[in-house]
Amino acid sequence: MHKLNKYKSRRDFLKLSAMATMGLATPFSSMSRMRAMNSMLPAPPFTGYKAIVCLFLHGGNDSYNMLMPKSGTPYSDYQATRSNLAIDSAEMLGIESDNFGLHPSMSNAQQMYTDNELAYICNAGTLIEPVTKQQYLDGVAPLPLGLFSHLDQFNHWQTALPGTRTNIGWAGKVADLIGDQNGNQFIPMNVSLSGSNIFQYGANSSECSMNSSGPVLPTNWDATWGHNPQRRAALDSMIHRSYDDMYMGTYNSIFRDAVDGGQDFQAALENSYDFATPFSGHYVSQNFEMIAQTISVQSDLDFQRQIFWVRYGGWDHHDELLSDHQNYLSVVDAALGEFNSALKEIGRFNDVTTFVVSEFSRKLTSNGNGTDHAWGGNMMVMGGGVNGGSMYGNYPSLALNSNPQLVHNGTLIPDTASDSVFAELAMWYGIPVSDLISVFPNLGNFHDMMSLSTSNPPLGFMKLL
Amino acid sequence: MCVVFSCMLFTAASQVNEVYFGAGNLTPVDVTTSDDHQLYSGTFTASGINSVNGAGMPARQMEASRFLAQSTLCYDREMIEDVIDWGVENWIDSQFVIPPSYLLDSLYSIYDQSKAIWIANGNSEESYPFRPNHVHMDYTWWQVSVRAEDQLRQRVAEALSQIIVASLNSDLNGYSYGMGYFYDLLIEHAFGNYQDLLQEVTRSPAMGVYLTYVNNPASDTVEMTFPDENYARECMQLFTIGLDSLNLDGTPALDGMGNRIPTYNNDDIAEFAKIYTGLSYADRIDENDPYWGMGIWSADLTIPLMMYEEYHEQGQKNLLNGFVVPEGQTGIEDIEDAIGHLFDHPNVGPFVCKQLIQRLVKSNPTPAYVEAVASAFNDNGSGVRGDMKAVVKAILLHEEARSCTWVNHPDQGRLREPILKQTQFTGLFEPITPYEGKYWNYSYWFQSGTDMHPMRSFSVFNFYAPSFTPNGPLADEGLVAPEFGIYNSRTSIGYANQVYRWIDSERLLQSSWYEDNYHMPADLSILLEYAKDPDALIDYLDVILTNGQLTDQTREIIRSTLLPYGLSINNLVSKVSLGTYLFLVCPDYNIIK
């Protein structure tokens, strides 16, 4: 029998904060005190529900074999440059009147593109400010730190601060800004299916971690055998006391919120939607299924905004690109298709935007049977809120000669900044334009912040009006 | 010394005695009982004459236990007695002369043994890893470091490993002998000189791989490639001087406008990057000759990197504050000059010492504490700079580490690192069923639950930043608590579930699939006797785990949980399981004051 946390919503919390003066479960963190203060103000209007899902392909997705030219000179350039790694035009799944094609593994993506549910953003990458090829070669432009290093680039996509190394991510900053407007204040706005990450870590926020079975709770929390019930009772008692010592109090409040929040979550998931859509057994699909289940109970849990994180590792295809990449892309394609279908079952397809990124794309030229680290690449965005069926940014020339974006024999300098993509997602999510610069400090290097608005967005791939 | 007089293990006939003991008064007092009363059958009775002279008093044991929690990876009851008998400073001196326990040789022998077991169990040699990997390194750390006699040295090495970071979560993953060579440098120089440590680390293949300066060539103005700046940056930012100019007491130095003063800029990094060029592997593990640009897979990662002069950047290098590395030197001379120059920077003492205090003692040392230790770093008393022994003594003997006044100060405290909780528990309740004498522990489950294990940092920035502050009263007070950087909704429960594993799942230590996941339970049998009386059990655990810091509130919860259980063996086991679990999970234990 699950004990639902007695403060399920801010309304209940109002009652409890009045009781706090009686020495009962005193809210400990200043976040709690801020909530208590907020309760005196009118609740800011959060209409409806929105979620962002980040699927991070860790290792470097060779995205010029995910979206490539299918005909004409662009295709011949592609074939020539990619040599033994080029996919034959006849195998590609055509889009844009067969001017472009998708990897043969991505039939769901092709369907979604045709249905205007999925968009591509071309040659996007981490930038501090725009860089031309000449500036790059002259060494006069500031460049992201550790430009071809997995760890640095992986972090830069999460922090939106490629000129520094920091542990604060942009989803964390978003949570800092608006997380306290969620009805549920005991489970964080940010949910990770793949453990701790920088993306969701803010100054005042961190992620709630789950795996594909749901939130982690103390072992045998519900067990009735042995001395488990006694353990639970003692622990429950211990974590609901207050501690004068600052360090002990902090340790305790985090533990307490984790247990209380986790129980609530698990209880809510008991009533999650029974999807007709079958999800594949691969962990990426399983994680998406858990996300879909979580979204299906967002009302019970009183969430209006959530950001999810899934990391899919293993993309560093220095070797065996063709065979491995095919398998990895089909996993992604399956998961996206399944998630798309499940969201439609619960009427949330317009409310959830999924974006798929990787820390860098890979060199166009082959190293024999694989490719090495590069920079600008193609990313996907999927959802009912997306102006799908279009390619945004500039699809670059893939020719080796006279290529204005190409350096190092196969690396493309991005001409769309990851910041631009993130900022538009954040705008859709509900972050005011005036707050964007605090989340994406470099954004002004790419856009005139004074004229940026929902009718003049960075790229136009989201339905903002 | 703390004055705490807590209840004894036997019941004495009630009698008012005017002679004081404790408070420095060690005059023995004989206590006799009017009968041979026993609360329960077992070891402890009230019979006989018991001389109470302070030696057996919990207070001294608590203090010794607390000291050992600052100065070791783990300790046992015997070590507690040694500290009481010899005193803290003598114990430290005795630790200084114990020969160091190194990892690398043991790593090879553990690999060989593990492989032999694998084959003896009917598996093929080809299916076994080709070379020692991260599993063998885990085994080695647990077999050697955790069980070493030179505990103080091992603890200091572990602390240094969180400042000068290299990790198996990198290209070093399948090459743990490189990691072993590197970690042995930390062990060797933990009681040596910090400059020697820096110089040898810079030449180590593991660091060259980790911070990507192996095969890092000089500038090429034709191809427009420039030296890799990774080590240039991180060596300054993390291993020596940090980002901002510091006073001797660790506080930031400010300019006339009240702003911090950066220690270096991007141009400086580019200059330093020139220094760390030309290094590559000095030998191979096969018969062939090493060559510039070769990969890691056949490199000998256990000897210093070699300078390939033709790839070293020539010319003068202008480093910080007008320091010049002249042209015409060898690459190694350039490196020695540059590292020496950084070592001499006044920031190094406060920057490094404050972090060592944070790892051993407390998260928020006062400026006076930092200054005392940094002064010892600057001059050990005999004119030597960088003497680690002087630093270690200054940290552990300082009143902020030792005195009762400070123990009770509200700003005092440190969230114990996850790994130190597992090692401490292992030391106190060491398994008696090792796998043929092998305490081979695979870190996978522990890491998954707590996000931490030695040599497994996710980046060169360690598991947590020295300046991390968790939201709440600590932030309000301007205090830091680095270890909270990895303590969140998942790892809080994750750690508790590790404790469950150690105790109820009987998996304090567990090997990997190579040894069929052989698991070793903690030996909690000594607690069964205490468990006959819940107060006795709680008192005992309060000595060795919470060092006398158990609050009444927590004591009452544990007590009321244990009281309903009786004296049958099952009930005793339940009391021991519940008692130790609740102790290990309670805030009173997890924060060490």
Side-chain angles (χ1 to χ4, degrees):
Chain A
M1 192 55 198
H2 301 287
K3 175 186 78 165
L4 275 179
N5 189 295
K6 52 184 190 294
Y7 4 103
K8 266 197 307 176
S9 70
R10 292 178 67 241
R11 292 179 296 281
D12 291 334
F13 186 85
L14 280 181
K15 279 188 275 179
L16 196 74
S17 55
M19 291 162 67
T21 50
M22 289 161 56
L24 301 174
T26 317
F28 211 74
S29 65
S30 69
M31 196 64 178
S32 304
R33 289 201 284 277
M34 195 161 50
R35 293 174 218 148
M37 276 162 49
N38 273 349
S39 71
M40 303 306 163
L41 306 167
F46 244 166
T47 50
Y49 176 79
K50 281 192 171 146
I52 293 176
V53 181
C54 174
L55 172 60
F56 201 105
L57 311 179
H58 194 192
N61 172 29
D62 196 318
S63 63
Y64 289 100
N65 262 14
M66 182 176 79
L67 168 68
M68 45 270 178
K70 188 171 157 74
S71 58
T73 310
Y75 173 69
S76 340
D77 287 342
Y78 164 82
Q79 255 197 325
T81 300
R82 303 226 79 186
S83 62
N84 66 343
L85 299 177
I87 295 178
D88 198 83
S89 172
E91 315 254 317
M92 298 181 196
L93 304 176
I95 60 169
E96 297 289 327
S97 314
D98 277 1
N99 284 319
F100 287 92
L102 307 182
H103 190 284
S105 292
M106 305 207 77
S107 51
N108 285 331
Q110 184 194 30
Q111 185 61 53
M112 293 190 275
Y113 190 88
T114 307
D115 294 341
N116 296 333
E117 295 172 351
L118 183 143
Y120 288 91
I121 301 164
C122 309
N123 200 24
T126 54
L127 288 166
I128 298 173
E129 55 181 60
V131 177
T132 65
K133 178 169 172 174
Q134 195 56 51
Q135 289 170 326
Y136 180 86
L137 295 175
D138 290 342
V140 298
L143 298 176
L145 294 180
L147 189 49
F148 304 106
S149 142
H150 286 294
L151 187 65
D152 280 312
Q153 288 300 102
F154 176 60
N155 290 346
H156 296 332
W157 279 89
Q158 298 176 65
T159 63
L161 278 171
T164 67
R165 292 184 173 108
T166 169
N167 286 336
I168 304 286
W170 66 263
K173 289 185 191 171
V174 169
D176 287 343
L177 273 177
I178 65 168
D180 64 339
Q181 293 170 42
N182 263 331
N184 189 319
Q185 284 300 301
F186 289 86
I187 300 170
M189 182 189 91
N190 290 339
V191 177
S192 169
L193 278 296
S194 302
S196 287
N197 56 77
I198 292 178
F199 179 57
Q200 298 178 309
Y201 199 83
N204 295 325
S205 337
S206 70
E207 88 285 359
C208 165
S209 272
M210 317 200 288
N211 53 37
S212 54
S213 319
V216 176
L217 282 177
T219 310
N220 282 331
W221 191 241
D222 294 324
T224 52
W225 47 269
H227 46 258
N228 286 304
Q230 286 83 352
R231 180 205 321 283
R232 173 172 173 160
L235 198 56
D236 213 28
S237 173
M238 196 182 276
I239 61 180
H240 287 104
R241 302 293 177 92
S242 64
Y243 291 82
D244 289 333
D245 181 89
M246 292 184 282
Y247 299 86
M248 291 193 215
T250 305
Y251 173 89
N252 189 63
S253 64
I254 293 171
F255 197 177
R256 178 198 63 229
D257 287 351
V259 174
D260 287 348
Q263 285 184 117
D264 277 2
F265 219 132
Q266 200 178 62
L269 286 173
E270 304 268 303
N271 300 320
S272 70
Y273 191 84
D274 191 10
F275 290 101
T277 306
F279 278 84
S280 320
H282 192 280
Y283 76 82
V284 174
S285 285
Q286 290 296 304
N287 283 337
F288 270 95
E289 182 171 18
M290 175 49 63
I291 293 175
Q293 287 175 325
T294 300
I295 292 172
S296 78
V297 297
Q298 55 74 221
S299 160
D300 291 349
L301 287 171
D302 206 3
F303 278 108
Q304 291 74 39
R305 292 290 186 274
Q306 288 183 292
I307 301 181
F308 296 90
W309 161 269
V310 180
R311 185 184 76 90
Y312 177 22
W315 290 76
D316 196 16
H317 298 127
H318 289 280
D319 293 324
E320 302 308 327
L321 173 73
L322 286 177
S323 49
D324 286 353
H325 199 223
Q326 168 185 308
N327 297 331
Y328 280 72
L329 283 177
S330 59
V331 168
V332 173
D333 194 64
L336 289 178
E338 291 154 6
F339 192 52
N340 180 311
S341 167
L343 288 174
K344 285 171 178 164
E345 284 190 62
I346 55 173
R348 286 288 175 208
F349 185 65
N350 292 342
D351 304 323
V352 181
T353 301
T354 303
F355 72 102
V356 184
V357 292
S358 191
E359 70 263 44
F360 37 64
S361 194
R362 308 191 74 84
K363 270 197 176 170
L364 297 175
T365 48
S366 166
N367 67 15
N369 62 3
T371 47
D372 299 321
H373 305 172
W375 192 0
N378 305 313
M379 41 179 300
M380 293 184 279
V381 191
M382 179 199 78
V386 178
N387 288 320
S390 294
M391 291 164 54
Y392 297 87
N394 303 312
Y395 197 92
S397 160
L398 302 181
L400 280 177
N401 299 318
S402 312
N403 188 328
Q405 298 301 119
L406 192 119
V407 292
H408 299 317
N409 217 32
T411 296
L412 288 161
I413 300 175
D415 54 8
T416 294
S418 50
D419 281 7
S420 304
V421 180
F422 300 153
E424 188 149 340
L425 287 168
M427 287 167 72
W428 171 82
Y429 192 66
I431 302 297
V433 176
S434 53
D435 282 330
L436 286 177
I437 201 75
S438 70
V439 181
F440 308 109
N442 292 327
L443 191 62
N445 295 338
F446 308 105
H447 302 282
D448 172 10
M449 297 306 298
M450 300 305 293
S451 66
L452 210 57
S453 72
T454 49
S455 44
N456 181 32
L459 293 168
F461 63 91
M462 295 302 296
K463 296 170 181 161
L464 295 176
L465 297 170
Chain B
M1 220 211 58
C2 292
V3 180
V4 174
F5 179 52
S6 35
C7 62
M8 294 301 175
L9 291 170
F10 50 87
T11 313
S14 138
Q15 181 177 355
V16 175
N17 196 314
E18 296 271 335
V19 179
Y20 292 99
F21 44 112
N25 183 342
L26 300 177
T27 309
V29 173
D30 286 343
V31 178
T32 51
T33 57
S34 56
D35 61 39
D36 289 341
H37 180 72
Q38 285 186 304
L39 269 182
Y40 49 79
S41 65
T43 311
F44 302 116
T45 77
S47 62
I49 297 171
N50 291 282
S51 175
V52 182
N53 61 5
M57 282 185 62
R60 296 189 68 173
Q61 292 176 331
M62 288 168 182
E63 170 52 18
S65 176
R66 177 175 169 272
F67 166 73
L68 290 170
Q70 297 171 336
S71 56
T72 66
L73 297 176
C74 67
Y75 53 95
D76 55 19
R77 284 157 207 80
E78 195 185 315
M79 216 178 247
I80 293 177
E81 294 306 316
D82 287 347
V83 169
I84 293 173
D85 288 343
W86 305 340
V88 160
E89 183 159 8
N90 289 333
W91 184 87
I92 294 174
D93 287 335
S94 77
Q95 283 283 312
F96 282 159
V97 298
I98 300 176
S101 309
Y102 290 115
L103 299 187
L104 188 58
D105 287 343
S106 294
L107 175 69
Y108 288 124
S109 101
I110 285 174
Y111 170 81
D112 289 340
Q113 290 175 59
S114 177
K115 186 173 181 178
I117 294 169
W118 178 257
I119 293 169
N121 284 340
N123 300 294
S124 72
E125 181 163 357
E126 292 73 42
S127 58
Y128 198 77
F130 181 67
R131 53 172 84 81
N133 66 14
H134 59 282
V135 177
H136 306 105
M137 178 51 82
D138 283 346
Y139 288 359
T140 307
W141 192 80
W142 279 91
Q143 181 73 28
V144 175
S145 282
V146 177
R147 311 191 65 250
E149 252 197 277
D150 50 318
Q151 274 298 310
L152 177 59
R153 182 189 287 271
Q154 297 297 327
R155 175 64 181 269
V156 174
E158 192 263 349
L160 287 169
S161 78
Q162 296 192 48
I163 300 172
I164 304 180
V165 178
S167 168
L168 290 167
N169 279 322
S170 70
D171 290 341
L172 290 169
N173 196 320
Y175 300 88
S176 61
Y177 41 72
M179 196 67 216
Y181 172 81
F182 169 82
Y183 200 89
D184 279 352
L185 295 176
L186 306 174
I187 292 173
E188 179 184 350
H189 298 293
F191 293 159
N193 191 291
Y194 197 70
Q195 175 168 196
D196 293 338
L197 178 57
L198 287 173
Q199 297 279 8
E200 291 211 65
V201 159
T202 306
R203 298 282 303 280
S204 68
M207 185 55 76
V209 170
Y210 193 63
L211 290 184
T212 60
Y213 58 94
V214 171
N215 297 320
N216 175 30
S219 309
D220 185 332
T221 46
V222 173
E223 290 296 316
M224 298 304 292
T225 62
F226 301 95
D228 184 306
E229 295 182 354
N230 210 356
Y231 191 66
R233 183 186 299 272
E234 310 309 352
C235 186
M236 285 198 284
Q237 181 172 347
L238 301 174
F239 305 164
T240 53
I241 62 179
L243 291 172
D244 300 314
S245 197
L246 299 173
N247 298 311
L248 186 62
D249 63 7
T251 55
L254 303 175
D255 65 16
M257 317 267 281
N259 299 319
R260 295 184 175 221
I261 306 166
T263 44
Y264 59 86
N265 59 31
N266 282 333
D267 291 336
D268 295 320
I269 292 172
E271 283 293 285
F272 271 98
K274 297 175 186 175
I275 300 275
Y276 309 119
T277 52
L279 287 169
S280 186
Y281 304 110
D283 203 357
R284 297 168 62 108
I285 54 175
D286 56 21
E287 275 80 56
N288 298 323
D289 289 332
Y291 57 90
W292 176 263
M294 66 172 278
I296 191 177
W297 46 88
S298 36
D300 186 343
L301 303 173
T302 64
I303 58 176
L305 295 171
M306 183 167 83
M307 181 59 67
Y308 290 69
E309 293 292 350
E310 62 269 39
Y311 294 98
H312 181 72
E313 180 114 359
Q314 302 300 317
Q316 173 174 309
K317 290 91 179 169
N318 302 309
L319 302 183
L320 305 176
N321 304 320
F323 184 86
V324 168
V325 174
E327 62 174 336
Q329 299 195 139
T330 66
I332 295 297
E333 285 168 336
D334 278 1
I335 291 177
E336 287 173 348
D337 278 3
I339 296 293
H341 158 62
L342 287 174
F343 170 75
D344 285 336
H345 192 292
N347 257 29
V348 180
F351 182 72
V352 172
C353 292
K354 181 169 181 178
Q355 291 180 70
L356 286 173
I357 297 172
Q358 287 181 315
R359 296 283 75 74
L360 299 189
V361 178
K362 56 192 276 189
S363 300
N364 295 281
T366 61
Y369 190 7
V370 176
E371 180 160 339
V373 181
S375 301
F377 181 95
N378 288 353
D379 185 337
N380 67 348
S382 310
V384 175
R385 177 177 172 79
D387 178 357
M388 291 299 296
K389 285 186 190 165
V391 167
V392 167
K393 269 198 161 179
I395 291 174
L396 291 173
L397 297 179
H398 194 276
E399 61 157 0
E400 272 183 53
R402 300 270 57 80
S403 89
C404 273
T405 327
W406 279 103
V407 166
N408 296 316
H409 194 289
D411 290 359
Q412 181 95 349
R414 166 170 67 85
L415 171 61
R416 299 182 197 242
E417 299 164 28
I419 192 63
L420 293 176
K421 294 182 268 201
Q422 187 179 15
T423 55
Q424 183 188 30
F425 196 62
T426 304
L428 291 169
F429 301 105
E430 185 174 87
I432 52 173
T433 54
Y435 188 89
E436 295 173 13
K438 309 173 198 349
Y439 295 81
W440 293 356
N441 188 44
Y442 179 40
S443 68
Y444 171 76
W445 300 275
F446 187 79
Q447 277 193 82
S448 310
T450 65
D451 282 358
M452 187 208 185
H453 193 273
M455 295 182 256
R456 295 288 225 267
S457 177
F458 290 108
S459 80
V460 73
F461 292 87
N462 195 34
F463 306 101
Y464 31 73
S467 56
F468 180 82
T469 303
N471 180 47
L474 289 166
D476 295 343
E477 292 297 310
L479 298 172
V480 304
E483 292 78 1
F484 278 101
I486 53 169
Y487 183 74
N488 57 43
S489 64
R490 179 175 53 86
T491 55
S492 52
I493 297 180
Y495 163 66
N497 289 348
Q498 287 306 298
V499 175
Y500 186 99
R501 261 180 68 89
W502 301 343
I503 298 172
D504 280 65
S505 305
E506 302 192 328
R507 278 160 168 75
L508 175 58
L509 304 180
Q510 182 169 340
S511 302
S512 73
W513 64 96
Y514 300 142
E515 284 75 33
D516 284 331
N517 300 304
Y518 181 82
H519 61 269
M520 295 161 254
D523 177 15
L524 299 170
S525 56
I526 188 179
L527 296 180
L528 287 172
E529 198 54 44
Y530 290 94
K532 291 177 178 176
D533 174 359
D535 286 313
L537 177 62
I538 292 172
D539 285 343
Y540 182 69
L541 293 177
D542 189 24
V543 169
I544 59 173
L545 290 178
T546 41
N547 312 319
Q549 297 297 307
L550 189 69
T551 58
D552 290 342
Q553 172 177 287
T554 306
R555 174 184 287 267
E556 190 43 48
I557 294 173
I558 300 177
R559 187 170 190 277
S560 59
T561 304
L562 300 183
L563 269 176
Y565 289 90
L567 296 175
S568 75
I569 188 66
N570 283 341
N571 277 263
L572 292 180
V573 169
S574 283
K575 281 193 273 192
V576 168
S577 299
L578 284 170
T580 44
Y581 176 90
L582 291 172
F583 255 91
L584 287 168
V585 158
C586 73
D588 319 51
Y589 168 70
N590 281 275
I591 304 300
I592 178 170
K593 301 290 287 180

